[in-house]
Amino acid sequence: MKYVAHLVSFITNLAKWISFSTLIIMVPLVTYFSISRSLGYPVVGDIEIVQFSMVILIMGSLAYTEATGAHISISVLADRFPAKVQLALDFMAQFLTILFCFIVCWAFIVKINFGQTSDLLNLSFVPFKIFLVICFIGWALEAMVKFIQNVEDYKTAVKGK
């Protein structure tokens, strides 16, 4: 289990740093694109560059968000339920997250089109789709690690009673 957790952590950190690097590059680019457009000299393909950067930024952050528990949660209702119901909801949410991630990965792998390119810059979609699949696998693995930890915590709590 320790090796699997280390591999998952490696995938998460790799995607996180790619995402953070993209953000660092994106800020001055968007500033430059905005200034050049307002001066009447727009950069060709600026919108496509920003769109591709946003894909990298968002997809690279998914596993990290799951690992840190920084995702959006609605605890107004869930915190009012008994502990067993909360635990069942956590298990169900993690299972659905894992299922969703693998369905997305499967769909992108099955439907990959190696000839598909962007309209203006003719950038291939393949590297972005591969990155997307890796990021969704990382998200699913982070959810699995949390799921396994919750099962172990539940077993420990049951034994302690």
Side-chain angles (χ1 to χ4, degrees):
M1 180 63 187
K2 196 174 215 177
Y3 296 113
V4 173
H6 183 67
L7 176 66
V8 172
S9 176
F10 175 76
I11 293 170
T12 300
N13 286 329
L14 180 65
K16 172 185 77 171
W17 284 109
I18 290 171
S19 179
F20 288 172
S21 301
T22 302
L23 180 62
I24 290 169
I25 293 168
M26 215 171 116
V27 169
L29 277 179
V30 169
T31 304
Y32 175 73
F33 294 156
S34 299
I35 291 171
S36 67
R37 185 175 292 267
S38 64
L39 294 176
Y41 301 103
V43 176
V44 175
D46 59 347
I47 294 173
E48 280 186 5
I49 292 170
V50 171
Q51 288 172 338
F52 283 124
S53 300
M54 288 300 293
V55 168
I56 295 170
L57 178 68
I58 293 168
M59 294 303 121
S61 303
L62 292 174
Y64 176 71
T65 304
E66 182 70 33
T68 58
H71 49 79
I72 297 172
S73 63
I74 303 172
S75 59
V76 174
L77 293 175
D79 288 346
R80 298 178 194 266
F81 291 131
K84 288 183 180 181
V85 174
Q86 289 180 18
L87 187 64
L89 290 174
D90 285 342
F91 284 144
M92 186 174 64
Q94 289 164 347
F95 176 75
L96 290 174
T97 299
I98 294 164
L99 181 67
F100 171 75
C101 289
F102 283 119
I103 289 172
V104 169
C105 290
W106 175 77
F108 270 93
I109 290 169
V110 168
K111 299 288 184 176
I112 197 162
N113 180 355
F114 291 100
Q116 189 177 12
T117 61
S118 64
D119 293 332
L120 191 58
L121 298 176
N122 288 327
L123 293 173
S124 175
F125 287 170
V126 173
F128 297 98
K129 288 184 179 183
I130 291 170
F131 183 70
L132 186 136
V133 168
I134 291 169
C135 291
F136 269 95
I137 288 171
W139 186 15
L141 292 174
E142 284 291 348
M144 275 190 206
V145 167
K146 279 191 172 182
F147 185 82
I148 292 168
Q149 288 173 347
N150 282 346
V151 168
E152 290 173 357
D153 291 346
Y154 177 74
K155 286 179 182 178
T156 307
V158 169
K159 286 181 183 178
K161 287 186 176 183

